[in-house]
Amino acid sequence: MLKIGDFSKLSRISIRMLRHYDEIGVLHPECVDDFTGYRYYSEAQLPLAGRIQTLKSLGFGLSVIKEILTKYEDAGEMERFLLVKRKELEEDSMEIRQKLQFLDSTLKWLRKDGSLMDYNVTLKTIPERYVASVRQVIPAYDCEGMLWEIMCRELEPQNVQQAVPCYGMAIFHDEGFKEHDPDVEIQSAVVGKYQDTEHVKFKTVPPIQIASATYKGSYDQISRVNAAVANWVVENGYDFDGKSFCIYHVSPGQTSDPEELVTEVCFPVKKK
């Protein structure tokens, strides 16, 4: 039998924490002297103490650790549980990386100017176009790539020729921003006449007047660009007049570096 001090040294768990583990039922001593109240542990409890410390280092709270030790005594069950935890940590890590990327782009923007109006807003008209179009409700805005994959796959047999410029764009048909299931349409201007496919439809799009701002870098900037365009629209006596869209001058299909992306944020407008 080991005194609590000796067990503390061997397990690398403080005496205070061992007493707390006893109180909450995570790790009881092998026995307690009825007369002195001294706690005694056995060498056989050291692996259990090691598992507790491992689970703590993985981010589990003591109440969850107690439940794990009770429910998952079998090694196979414990492995499955830890694999679930691993997936959760991977998702958390991805979210943290996205936040860091957004933080970096915000710092770069602040150091450059610090003003919303550092984006140059212009008024122009996009001419009439004959386009290939795919419109679907997708799980989220960042799933837009699935629409471009559909277009590329279904147009390949027809050897479709893109116009120059092709005005590759995404149009957002919902009335407002949606956290899930947005209604998104992609378009690309083409030359010639082609047959509709299962998902790709060909149509003529009329000319449209827009206020737009073009920027280079990741899509994290879009909210600030939107604000710059909105300010310009109000200050110059225009009203919004249709669905917003983005034109991809350099798209994710052309570069894997977010800082090399070139995007034009467009809002149809009319004079008040």
Side-chain angles (χ1 to χ4, degrees):
M1 300 295 289
L2 298 169
K3 293 181 180 180
I4 190 171
D6 294 328
F7 190 80
S8 171
K9 292 176 183 177
L10 292 168
S11 65
R12 302 182 66 83
I13 302 173
S14 70
I15 292 174
R16 180 189 65 81
M17 191 57 69
L18 285 171
R19 288 173 177 157
H20 181 56
Y21 288 173
D22 182 17
E23 291 171 0
I24 64 175
V26 172
L27 177 59
H28 294 299
E30 186 75 14
C31 65
V32 179
D33 189 293
D34 292 334
F35 181 70
T36 63
Y38 290 163
R39 294 172 171 87
Y40 292 92
Y41 297 81
S42 70
E43 292 84 347
Q45 290 179 287
L46 287 170
L48 175 58
R51 286 200 295 275
I52 293 170
Q53 293 301 90
T54 298
L55 291 169
K56 277 189 67 178
S57 68
L58 291 173
F60 293 105
L62 290 177
S63 61
V64 177
I65 290 174
K66 181 179 178 180
E67 183 179 355
I68 291 172
L69 295 175
T70 303
K71 287 186 176 180
Y72 302 102
E73 295 180 356
D74 176 75
E77 292 180 344
M78 176 66 80
E79 181 181 3
R80 286 190 290 273
F81 181 86
L82 292 178
L83 286 172
V84 171
K85 182 63 176 178
R86 188 180 192 280
K87 182 173 177 59
E88 291 176 355
L89 291 173
E90 286 178 344
E91 291 173 352
D92 291 343
S93 176
M94 183 179 298
E95 184 178 346
I96 289 171
R97 287 197 299 271
Q98 290 172 343
K99 288 180 178 178
L100 285 171
Q101 183 180 0
F102 179 66
L103 179 61
D104 288 341
S105 67
T106 302
L107 286 169
K108 184 182 296 184
W109 167 70
L110 286 172
R111 289 167 182 163
K112 179 181 177 181
D113 192 320
S115 168
L116 283 174
M117 295 309 294
D118 61 349
Y119 300 105
N120 184 32
V121 180
T122 59
L123 181 71
K124 65 183 181 180
T125 298
I126 297 179
E128 179 178 282
R129 294 156 290 130
Y130 182 64
V131 304
S133 165
V134 178
R135 178 176 175 179
Q136 287 188 10
V137 173
I138 57 178
Y141 292 105
D142 60 5
C143 297
E144 181 191 312
M146 63 189 293
L147 301 181
W148 293 103
E149 290 174 5
I150 290 171
M151 180 178 285
C152 290
R153 183 174 64 250
E154 295 190 8
L155 293 189
E156 185 176 5
Q158 298 194 57
N159 295 317
V160 174
Q161 181 181 350
Q162 286 192 334
V164 180
C166 68
Y167 292 107
M169 65 175 65
I171 304 168
F172 309 105
H173 287 280
D174 297 295
E175 183 177 354
F177 176 83
K178 292 190 70 175
E179 293 185 357
H180 306 287
D181 303 323
D183 181 359
V184 179
E185 177 185 1
I186 62 168
Q187 292 181 0
S188 182
V190 298
V191 176
K193 296 294 181 180
Y194 305 94
Q195 294 295 317
D196 291 348
T197 65
E198 181 181 0
H199 300 101
V200 181
K201 308 302 176 186
F202 292 92
K203 61 184 179 181
T204 299
V205 179
I208 185 171
Q209 179 177 243
I210 61 168
S212 73
T214 302
Y215 72 95
K216 183 177 181 180
S218 72
Y219 297 139
D220 295 335
Q221 300 182 57
I222 283 183
S223 293
R224 296 195 296 271
V225 182
N226 287 344
V229 177
N231 286 340
W232 185 94
V233 169
V234 172
E235 291 174 1
N236 288 273
Y238 284 84
D239 282 329
F240 294 107
D241 187 35
K243 309 294 184 182
S244 66
F245 56 93
C246 289
I247 299 175
Y248 303 118
H249 298 286
V250 178
S251 71
Q254 297 168 286
T255 178
S256 59
D257 183 357
E259 296 307 313
E260 294 300 318
L261 298 171
V262 179
T263 309
E264 185 173 0
V265 176
C266 306
F267 288 86
V269 294
K270 62 181 179 181
K271 195 69 175 177
K272 287 184 177 179

PDB file of all heavy atoms in Angstrom, residues 212-236:
ATOM      1  N   SER A 212     -20.146  48.546 -58.079  1.00  0.00           N
ATOM      2  CA  SER A 212     -19.290  47.414 -57.736  1.00  0.00           C
ATOM      3  C   SER A 212     -17.956  47.875 -57.175  1.00  0.00           C
ATOM      4  O   SER A 212     -17.522  49.012 -57.392  1.00  0.00           O
ATOM      5  CB  SER A 212     -19.058  46.527 -58.959  1.00  0.00           C
ATOM      6  OG  SER A 212     -18.183  47.151 -59.877  1.00  0.00           O
ATOM      7  N   ALA A 213     -17.324  46.963 -56.452  1.00  0.00           N
ATOM      8  CA  ALA A 213     -15.973  47.195 -55.931  1.00  0.00           C
ATOM      9  C   ALA A 213     -15.184  45.911 -56.108  1.00  0.00           C
ATOM     10  O   ALA A 213     -15.671  44.825 -55.756  1.00  0.00           O
ATOM     11  CB  ALA A 213     -16.018  47.608 -54.475  1.00  0.00           C
ATOM     12  N   THR A 214     -13.988  46.025 -56.640  1.00  0.00           N
ATOM     13  CA  THR A 214     -13.125  44.869 -56.866  1.00  0.00           C
ATOM     14  C   THR A 214     -11.996  44.873 -55.837  1.00  0.00           C
ATOM     15  O   THR A 214     -11.399  45.912 -55.560  1.00  0.00           O
ATOM     16  CB  THR A 214     -12.536  44.900 -58.284  1.00  0.00           C
ATOM     17  OG1 THR A 214     -13.609  44.921 -59.231  1.00  0.00           O
ATOM     18  CG2 THR A 214     -11.661  43.690 -58.544  1.00  0.00           C
ATOM     19  N   TYR A 215     -11.738  43.715 -55.277  1.00  0.00           N
ATOM     20  CA  TYR A 215     -10.673  43.629 -54.270  1.00  0.00           C
ATOM     21  C   TYR A 215      -9.886  42.339 -54.452  1.00  0.00           C
ATOM     22  O   TYR A 215     -10.368  41.374 -55.070  1.00  0.00           O
ATOM     23  CB  TYR A 215     -11.256  43.688 -52.853  1.00  0.00           C
ATOM     24  CG  TYR A 215     -11.991  42.435 -52.431  1.00  0.00           C
ATOM     25  CD1 TYR A 215     -11.345  41.439 -51.699  1.00  0.00           C
ATOM     26  CD2 TYR A 215     -13.317  42.232 -52.764  1.00  0.00           C
ATOM     27  CE1 TYR A 215     -12.009  40.291 -51.322  1.00  0.00           C
ATOM     28  CE2 TYR A 215     -13.994  41.092 -52.382  1.00  0.00           C
ATOM     29  CZ  TYR A 215     -13.327  40.114 -51.662  1.00  0.00           C
ATOM     30  OH  TYR A 215     -13.990  38.967 -51.288  1.00  0.00           O
ATOM     31  N   LYS A 216      -8.690  42.341 -53.918  1.00  0.00           N
ATOM     32  CA  LYS A 216      -7.817  41.171 -53.976  1.00  0.00           C
ATOM     33  C   LYS A 216      -7.658  40.602 -52.581  1.00  0.00           C
ATOM     34  O   LYS A 216      -7.423  41.337 -51.619  1.00  0.00           O
ATOM     35  CB  LYS A 216      -6.449  41.558 -54.543  1.00  0.00           C
ATOM     36  CG  LYS A 216      -5.490  40.373 -54.711  1.00  0.00           C
ATOM     37  CD  LYS A 216      -4.175  40.818 -55.343  1.00  0.00           C
ATOM     38  CE  LYS A 216      -3.233  39.634 -55.540  1.00  0.00           C
ATOM     39  NZ  LYS A 216      -1.950  40.044 -56.153  1.00  0.00           N
ATOM     40  N   GLY A 217      -7.782  39.291 -52.450  1.00  0.00           N
ATOM     41  CA  GLY A 217      -7.611  38.657 -51.152  1.00  0.00           C
ATOM     42  C   GLY A 217      -8.759  37.709 -50.833  1.00  0.00           C
ATOM     43  O   GLY A 217      -9.603  37.416 -51.669  1.00  0.00           O
ATOM     44  N   SER A 218      -8.780  37.228 -49.594  1.00  0.00           N
ATOM     45  CA  SER A 218      -9.739  36.205 -49.189  1.00  0.00           C
ATOM     46  C   SER A 218     -11.152  36.761 -49.096  1.00  0.00           C
ATOM     47  O   SER A 218     -11.372  37.968 -49.004  1.00  0.00           O
ATOM     48  CB  SER A 218      -9.335  35.617 -47.831  1.00  0.00           C
ATOM     49  OG  SER A 218      -9.576  36.553 -46.809  1.00  0.00           O
ATOM     50  N   TYR A 219     -12.112  35.848 -49.083  1.00  0.00           N
ATOM     51  CA  TYR A 219     -13.520  36.229 -49.023  1.00  0.00           C
ATOM     52  C   TYR A 219     -13.916  36.806 -47.664  1.00  0.00           C
ATOM     53  O   TYR A 219     -15.041  37.281 -47.499  1.00  0.00           O
ATOM     54  CB  TYR A 219     -14.405  35.026 -49.361  1.00  0.00           C
ATOM     55  CG  TYR A 219     -14.199  34.521 -50.776  1.00  0.00           C
ATOM     56  CD1 TYR A 219     -14.154  33.165 -51.054  1.00  0.00           C
ATOM     57  CD2 TYR A 219     -14.031  35.412 -51.834  1.00  0.00           C
ATOM     58  CE1 TYR A 219     -13.959  32.699 -52.352  1.00  0.00           C
ATOM     59  CE2 TYR A 219     -13.829  34.965 -53.127  1.00  0.00           C
ATOM     60  CZ  TYR A 219     -13.803  33.608 -53.380  1.00  0.00           C
ATOM     61  OH  TYR A 219     -13.601  33.161 -54.663  1.00  0.00           O
ATOM     62  N   ASP A 220     -13.001  36.771 -46.695  1.00  0.00           N
ATOM     63  CA  ASP A 220     -13.294  37.368 -45.386  1.00  0.00           C
ATOM     64  C   ASP A 220     -13.577  38.863 -45.504  1.00  0.00           C
ATOM     65  O   ASP A 220     -14.205  39.448 -44.622  1.00  0.00           O
ATOM     66  CB  ASP A 220     -12.099  37.178 -44.429  1.00  0.00           C
ATOM     67  CG  ASP A 220     -11.855  35.715 -44.108  1.00  0.00           C
ATOM     68  OD1 ASP A 220     -12.819  34.945 -44.203  1.00  0.00           O
ATOM     69  OD2 ASP A 220     -10.724  35.357 -43.775  1.00  0.00           O
ATOM     70  N   GLN A 221     -13.114  39.483 -46.581  1.00  0.00           N
ATOM     71  CA  GLN A 221     -13.271  40.934 -46.728  1.00  0.00           C
ATOM     72  C   GLN A 221     -14.657  41.347 -47.220  1.00  0.00           C
ATOM     73  O   GLN A 221     -14.982  42.536 -47.224  1.00  0.00           O
ATOM     74  CB  GLN A 221     -12.237  41.473 -47.726  1.00  0.00           C
ATOM     75  CG  GLN A 221     -10.785  41.238 -47.328  1.00  0.00           C
ATOM     76  CD  GLN A 221      -9.847  41.836 -48.348  1.00  0.00           C
ATOM     77  OE1 GLN A 221      -9.909  43.033 -48.628  1.00  0.00           O
ATOM     78  NE2 GLN A 221      -8.981  41.024 -48.929  1.00  0.00           N
ATOM     79  N   ILE A 222     -15.474  40.391 -47.656  1.00  0.00           N
ATOM     80  CA  ILE A 222     -16.706  40.738 -48.375  1.00  0.00           C
ATOM     81  C   ILE A 222     -17.612  41.656 -47.573  1.00  0.00           C
ATOM     82  O   ILE A 222     -18.220  42.593 -48.127  1.00  0.00           O
ATOM     83  CB  ILE A 222     -17.443  39.459 -48.824  1.00  0.00           C
ATOM     84  CG1 ILE A 222     -16.741  38.881 -50.050  1.00  0.00           C
ATOM     85  CG2 ILE A 222     -18.901  39.742 -49.127  1.00  0.00           C
ATOM     86  CD1 ILE A 222     -17.409  37.665 -50.649  1.00  0.00           C
ATOM     87  N   SER A 223     -17.735  41.444 -46.257  1.00  0.00           N
ATOM     88  CA  SER A 223     -18.620  42.302 -45.451  1.00  0.00           C
ATOM     89  C   SER A 223     -18.177  43.758 -45.509  1.00  0.00           C
ATOM     90  O   SER A 223     -19.009  44.674 -45.607  1.00  0.00           O
ATOM     91  CB  SER A 223     -18.640  41.820 -43.995  1.00  0.00           C
ATOM     92  OG  SER A 223     -19.268  40.560 -43.907  1.00  0.00           O
ATOM     93  N   ARG A 224     -16.857  43.992 -45.463  1.00  0.00           N
ATOM     94  CA  ARG A 224     -16.364  45.365 -45.531  1.00  0.00           C
ATOM     95  C   ARG A 224     -16.573  45.964 -46.918  1.00  0.00           C
ATOM     96  O   ARG A 224     -16.889  47.147 -47.057  1.00  0.00           O
ATOM     97  CB  ARG A 224     -14.874  45.394 -45.146  1.00  0.00           C
ATOM     98  CG  ARG A 224     -14.611  44.978 -43.708  1.00  0.00           C
ATOM     99  CD  ARG A 224     -13.204  45.366 -43.286  1.00  0.00           C
ATOM    100  NE  ARG A 224     -12.182  44.672 -44.033  1.00  0.00           N
ATOM    101  CZ  ARG A 224     -11.657  43.499 -43.689  1.00  0.00           C
ATOM    102  NH1 ARG A 224     -12.112  42.875 -42.610  1.00  0.00           N
ATOM    103  NH2 ARG A 224     -10.711  42.930 -44.406  1.00  0.00           N
ATOM    104  N   VAL A 225     -16.399  45.134 -47.957  1.00  0.00           N
ATOM    105  CA  VAL A 225     -16.626  45.626 -49.314  1.00  0.00           C
ATOM    106  C   VAL A 225     -18.103  45.961 -49.497  1.00  0.00           C
ATOM    107  O   VAL A 225     -18.456  46.984 -50.088  1.00  0.00           O
ATOM    108  CB  VAL A 225     -16.175  44.584 -50.357  1.00  0.00           C
ATOM    109  CG1 VAL A 225     -16.363  45.130 -51.764  1.00  0.00           C
ATOM    110  CG2 VAL A 225     -14.719  44.202 -50.145  1.00  0.00           C
ATOM    111  N   ASN A 226     -18.984  45.101 -48.986  1.00  0.00           N
ATOM    112  CA  ASN A 226     -20.422  45.380 -49.040  1.00  0.00           C
ATOM    113  C   ASN A 226     -20.740  46.726 -48.412  1.00  0.00           C
ATOM    114  O   ASN A 226     -21.537  47.520 -48.931  1.00  0.00           O
ATOM    115  CB  ASN A 226     -21.207  44.293 -48.305  1.00  0.00           C
ATOM    116  CG  ASN A 226     -21.257  42.989 -49.074  1.00  0.00           C
ATOM    117  OD1 ASN A 226     -20.969  42.947 -50.261  1.00  0.00           O
ATOM    118  ND2 ASN A 226     -21.628  41.924 -48.392  1.00  0.00           N
ATOM    119  N   ALA A 227     -20.116  46.995 -47.248  1.00  0.00           N
ATOM    120  CA  ALA A 227     -20.360  48.267 -46.555  1.00  0.00           C
ATOM    121  C   ALA A 227     -19.887  49.451 -47.388  1.00  0.00           C
ATOM    122  O   ALA A 227     -20.544  50.504 -47.444  1.00  0.00           O
ATOM    123  CB  ALA A 227     -19.660  48.263 -45.195  1.00  0.00           C
ATOM    124  N   ALA A 228     -18.738  49.285 -48.057  1.00  0.00           N
ATOM    125  CA  ALA A 228     -18.221  50.365 -48.895  1.00  0.00           C
ATOM    126  C   ALA A 228     -19.171  50.661 -50.047  1.00  0.00           C
ATOM    127  O   ALA A 228     -19.467  51.823 -50.357  1.00  0.00           O
ATOM    128  CB  ALA A 228     -16.836  49.986 -49.432  1.00  0.00           C
ATOM    129  N   VAL A 229     -19.675  49.608 -50.702  1.00  0.00           N
ATOM    130  CA  VAL A 229     -20.603  49.807 -51.817  1.00  0.00           C
ATOM    131  C   VAL A 229     -21.904  50.421 -51.327  1.00  0.00           C
ATOM    132  O   VAL A 229     -22.457  51.341 -51.952  1.00  0.00           O
ATOM    133  CB  VAL A 229     -20.873  48.474 -52.541  1.00  0.00           C
ATOM    134  CG1 VAL A 229     -21.897  48.682 -53.661  1.00  0.00           C
ATOM    135  CG2 VAL A 229     -19.582  47.898 -53.117  1.00  0.00           C
ATOM    136  N   ALA A 230     -22.416  49.931 -50.183  1.00  0.00           N
ATOM    137  CA  ALA A 230     -23.664  50.461 -49.635  1.00  0.00           C
ATOM    138  C   ALA A 230     -23.544  51.948 -49.334  1.00  0.00           C
ATOM    139  O   ALA A 230     -24.452  52.736 -49.628  1.00  0.00           O
ATOM    140  CB  ALA A 230     -24.053  49.693 -48.371  1.00  0.00           C
ATOM    141  N   ASN A 231     -22.415  52.349 -48.758  1.00  0.00           N
ATOM    142  CA  ASN A 231     -22.199  53.773 -48.479  1.00  0.00           C
ATOM    143  C   ASN A 231     -22.201  54.593 -49.764  1.00  0.00           C
ATOM    144  O   ASN A 231     -22.782  55.676 -49.836  1.00  0.00           O
ATOM    145  CB  ASN A 231     -20.866  53.966 -47.741  1.00  0.00           C
ATOM    146  CG  ASN A 231     -20.941  53.512 -46.307  1.00  0.00           C
ATOM    147  OD1 ASN A 231     -22.027  53.406 -45.742  1.00  0.00           O
ATOM    148  ND2 ASN A 231     -19.786  53.237 -45.711  1.00  0.00           N
ATOM    149  N   TRP A 232     -21.543  54.047 -50.791  1.00  0.00           N
ATOM    150  CA  TRP A 232     -21.484  54.763 -52.072  1.00  0.00           C
ATOM    151  C   TRP A 232     -22.892  54.910 -52.665  1.00  0.00           C
ATOM    152  O   TRP A 232     -23.251  55.980 -53.161  1.00  0.00           O
ATOM    153  CB  TRP A 232     -20.590  53.999 -53.044  1.00  0.00           C
ATOM    154  CG  TRP A 232     -20.372  54.709 -54.343  1.00  0.00           C
ATOM    155  CD1 TRP A 232     -19.338  55.531 -54.678  1.00  0.00           C
ATOM    156  CD2 TRP A 232     -21.236  54.683 -55.492  1.00  0.00           C
ATOM    157  NE1 TRP A 232     -19.488  56.012 -55.953  1.00  0.00           N
ATOM    158  CE2 TRP A 232     -20.655  55.511 -56.490  1.00  0.00           C
ATOM    159  CE3 TRP A 232     -22.438  54.045 -55.772  1.00  0.00           C
ATOM    160  CZ2 TRP A 232     -21.234  55.707 -57.722  1.00  0.00           C
ATOM    161  CZ3 TRP A 232     -23.025  54.239 -57.018  1.00  0.00           C
ATOM    162  CH2 TRP A 232     -22.428  55.057 -57.971  1.00  0.00           C
ATOM    163  N   VAL A 233     -23.687  53.845 -52.616  1.00  0.00           N
ATOM    164  CA  VAL A 233     -25.038  53.874 -53.183  1.00  0.00           C
ATOM    165  C   VAL A 233     -25.875  54.961 -52.512  1.00  0.00           C
ATOM    166  O   VAL A 233     -26.557  55.752 -53.171  1.00  0.00           O
ATOM    167  CB  VAL A 233     -25.706  52.489 -53.039  1.00  0.00           C
ATOM    168  CG1 VAL A 233     -27.200  52.571 -53.381  1.00  0.00           C
ATOM    169  CG2 VAL A 233     -25.015  51.465 -53.940  1.00  0.00           C
ATOM    170  N   VAL A 234     -25.821  55.030 -51.186  1.00  0.00           N
ATOM    171  CA  VAL A 234     -26.607  56.018 -50.441  1.00  0.00           C
ATOM    172  C   VAL A 234     -26.122  57.430 -50.730  1.00  0.00           C
ATOM    173  O   VAL A 234     -26.915  58.347 -50.989  1.00  0.00           O
ATOM    174  CB  VAL A 234     -26.543  55.716 -48.930  1.00  0.00           C
ATOM    175  CG1 VAL A 234     -27.191  56.849 -48.134  1.00  0.00           C
ATOM    176  CG2 VAL A 234     -27.240  54.398 -48.624  1.00  0.00           C
ATOM    177  N   GLU A 235     -24.801  57.608 -50.694  1.00  0.00           N
ATOM    178  CA  GLU A 235     -24.240  58.951 -50.841  1.00  0.00           C
ATOM    179  C   GLU A 235     -24.402  59.512 -52.253  1.00  0.00           C
ATOM    180  O   GLU A 235     -24.386  60.733 -52.453  1.00  0.00           O
ATOM    181  CB  GLU A 235     -22.755  58.932 -50.460  1.00  0.00           C
ATOM    182  CG  GLU A 235     -22.531  58.697 -48.965  1.00  0.00           C
ATOM    183  CD  GLU A 235     -21.061  58.537 -48.630  1.00  0.00           C
ATOM    184  OE1 GLU A 235     -20.234  58.627 -49.573  1.00  0.00           O
ATOM    185  OE2 GLU A 235     -20.749  58.306 -47.448  1.00  0.00           O
ATOM    186  N   ASN A 236     -24.586  58.637 -53.256  1.00  0.00           N
ATOM    187  CA  ASN A 236     -24.671  59.099 -54.636  1.00  0.00           C
ATOM    188  C   ASN A 236     -26.087  59.051 -55.209  1.00  0.00           C
ATOM    189  O   ASN A 236     -26.281  59.211 -56.414  1.00  0.00           O
ATOM    190  CB  ASN A 236     -23.727  58.276 -55.523  1.00  0.00           C
ATOM    191  CG  ASN A 236     -22.273  58.615 -55.283  1.00  0.00           C
ATOM    192  OD1 ASN A 236     -21.733  59.539 -55.889  1.00  0.00           O
ATOM    193  ND2 ASN A 236     -21.634  57.889 -54.372  1.00  0.00           N
TER     194      ASN A 236
END
